[in-house]
Amino acid sequence: MTTPADPSYTWLGADLDLDAYLARIGFIGERTPTLATLRALVRAHTTTIPFENLEIILGRGIPLDLEALQDKLIRQRRGGYCYENVGLFAAALERLGYEFTAMSGRVSQGATNLRPATHALLRVRAADDDRVWLCDVGFGRGPLEPVELAPDRGEFGAGAWRFRLERTYDAVGGELWTLYQFGKDGWVDRHTFTATPQYRIDFAVGNHYVSTSTRSPFATRPFVQRFHAEAHHQLDGTTWTTSYPDGSEDMRELEVAELPKVLAEVFDIELDAADAAQLARALSGPAFGVSPE
């Protein structure tokens, strides 16, 4: 693949501390752009780095430059949402020599109203395989392996979790893909996406909307996820839900004072005392009305 002269078209893989990233996700294997390595990278990333929007709730922004992503997701061992996870993962793929294109998706989660294209994904090819793979490392609940972008893909398993991929066409005849996931309500359309190439500057625009707009759910309450091969934990405001591959769920309402402990022990996110206090203040403000006691 020829690298364009304009670095805006790249994902700055040359500047990535690859050793630190691979250590962060616990990857031990061949550093080659093969399908086996891609599968191992996706599984390691999705089951290690949490999904979180806490910086927004704490009153800070979400920078997407590579140094900021490395500092937060690697050195501070924090998590991030789709733009952060995909930006870091893309830098690693570029450094390892994969051919890939970024894409945007519209998160639906069963909704019928049109939503903005604010989800980041990657379309990847491996050096030893002719197929095209969807890598969705930034959604917060898998899939924990690449998904072949094939028109007849239909239902498939990723570990014990069940998914379905369907291809239709958009208003101008382009491919429109829908990824479904099985859960407590049966099959739910998770998001749609097209193969239109996206670049870092496009994600910067979407990131601004998601992190600042009053219409963005991520700007209104904490939303944190921790995905494992056997269970998915989600914190939505102060509601902690654990979902399992068979569709069953456990749900618990937390006190604000419990959040730092649950974030650390369940979601692998450790806040310092100042941030824990700021989170409690944010949740007990007029936008939430939750008592900190």
Side-chain angles (χ1 to χ4, degrees):
M1 179 177 64
T2 302
T3 302
D6 184 351
S8 298
Y9 287 94
T10 76
W11 296 87
L12 306 180
D15 298 328
L16 176 70
D17 185 342
L18 185 61
D19 290 340
Y21 169 70
L22 296 180
R24 168 73 169 102
I25 65 173
F27 174 86
I28 301 174
E30 295 290 333
R31 299 187 182 189
T32 53
T34 62
L35 181 56
T37 295
L38 183 64
R39 284 180 167 142
L41 288 170
V42 170
R43 186 182 187 97
H45 188 112
T46 56
T47 58
T48 300
I49 299 182
F51 181 107
E52 54 137 315
N53 70 331
L54 295 178
E55 292 298 285
I56 302 171
I57 308 305
L58 293 171
R60 299 191 282 262
I62 306 291
L64 295 182
D65 61 281
L66 183 60
E67 177 55 29
L69 296 180
Q70 293 188 98
D71 184 59
K72 182 185 177 189
L73 275 65
I74 297 175
R75 291 190 283 272
Q76 296 184 46
R77 302 186 67 83
R78 287 280 301 279
Y81 57 23
C82 66
Y83 292 122
E84 297 169 279
N85 276 284
V86 169
L88 184 62
F89 194 75
L93 292 187
E94 188 174 82
R95 178 70 171 271
L96 291 168
Y98 284 94
E99 177 186 342
F100 65 92
T101 302
M103 307 180 294
S104 285
R106 301 179 188 274
V107 177
S108 49
Q109 290 293 86
T112 57
N113 61 302
L114 183 65
R115 294 182 173 182
T118 56
H119 180 51
L121 314 97
L122 295 172
R123 181 182 185 273
V124 185
R125 287 185 183 271
D128 62 340
D129 191 278
D130 292 332
R131 292 170 290 181
V132 179
W133 300 90
L134 170 68
C135 294
D136 194 5
V137 300
F139 199 81
R141 57 186 309 163
L144 51 68
E145 60 187 48
V147 178
E148 184 185 358
L149 279 176
D152 57 351
R153 189 69 174 97
E155 183 177 343
F156 62 95
W161 302 91
R162 296 167 61 191
F163 297 88
R164 194 170 81 234
L165 183 66
E166 294 182 358
R167 185 189 70 172
T168 54
Y169 296 93
D170 61 23
V172 295
E175 290 184 330
L176 179 66
W177 300 87
T178 304
L179 183 66
Y180 296 81
Q181 185 163 10
F182 183 82
K184 70 179 180 64
D185 297 319
W187 288 105
V188 174
D189 52 303
R190 198 167 95 162
H191 53 64
T192 62
F193 59 93
T194 67
T196 304
Q198 299 286 287
Y199 302 96
R200 287 186 291 119
I201 189 63
D202 300 311
F203 286 174
V205 174
N207 179 58
H208 178 73
Y209 172 86
V210 169
S211 62
T212 65
S213 173
T214 56
R215 299 183 63 183
S216 167
F218 294 147
T220 61
R221 89 285 193 210
F223 190 76
V224 185
Q225 300 181 86
R226 184 69 171 87
F227 180 65
H228 300 282
E230 70 287 346
H232 168 254
H233 297 283
Q234 175 180 290
L235 182 67
D236 189 346
T238 54
T239 303
W240 170 20
T241 304
T242 303
S243 305
Y244 303 95
D246 64 0
S248 61
E249 287 187 350
D250 298 324
M251 187 178 296
R252 181 185 163 196
E253 195 65 30
L254 299 174
E255 300 293 336
V256 172
E258 296 180 274
L259 287 178
K261 185 173 187 291
V262 171
L263 284 171
E265 295 181 355
V266 177
F267 295 91
D268 296 327
I269 296 171
E270 294 197 20
L271 299 180
D272 60 27
D275 281 351
Q278 175 60 26
L279 180 62
R281 286 192 294 269
L283 283 170
S284 55
F288 297 97
V290 179
S291 172
E293 298 303 327

